Amino acid sequence: MVSLNQSSLDKLELLFKELGYRVRYEKGSFKTGACVLQNAKVIVVNKFSTVDMKVQSLLQILQGIEVSEEQVPEKLHDFFQRTRQIRLSV
């Protein structure tokens, strides 16, 4: 299970960076806590969301994109595996 805390948020940010995505925190009127800009590999997260909502939003995006095991750095492999085993109710 992935904890909904700052440590998990930091790992998710690093994982997205390693996958070629840029995570930005901005204000906006999001229906969810984050969105992916089409074809730009940019994820915009509502900066006013709580840490747990930010983690849940990034986990939801991660589960919605195609990621092969080879793309994940070894240091994040265990964390990535835990993200694949959870179900979200965002």
Side-chain angles (χ1 to χ4, degrees):
M1 181 68 186
V2 175
S3 300
L4 303 178
N5 57 27
Q6 187 64 47
S7 176
S8 294
L9 182 60
D10 294 341
K11 288 177 184 175
L12 282 165
E13 290 172 352
L14 181 59
L15 179 57
F16 276 112
K17 181 179 179 183
E18 295 287 338
L19 295 174
Y21 286 83
R22 199 168 124 215
V23 178
R24 294 179 10 199
Y25 294 92
E26 308 218 359
K27 64 180 181 175
S29 57
F30 299 92
K31 291 191 187 272
T32 60
C35 67
V36 180
L37 299 178
Q38 292 284 337
N39 301 320
K41 286 199 164 189
V42 175
I43 300 167
V44 181
V45 180
N46 188 339
K47 73 178 185 178
F48 297 114
S49 294
T50 60
V51 170
D52 62 328
M53 185 62 184
K54 290 175 184 174
V55 170
Q56 287 180 7
S57 297
L58 290 174
L59 285 171
Q60 185 176 30
I61 289 171
L62 183 61
Q63 290 182 346
I65 61 174
E66 291 290 325
V67 179
S68 68
E69 296 283 330
E70 296 81 36
Q71 292 176 281
V72 179
E74 188 174 327
K75 63 184 175 183
L76 293 173
H77 193 265
D78 290 338
F79 178 76
F80 177 72
Q81 289 300 318
R82 288 195 313 262
T83 67
R84 291 298 192 203
Q85 297 173 355
I86 62 173
R87 291 190 179 266
L88 296 174
S89 58
V90 177

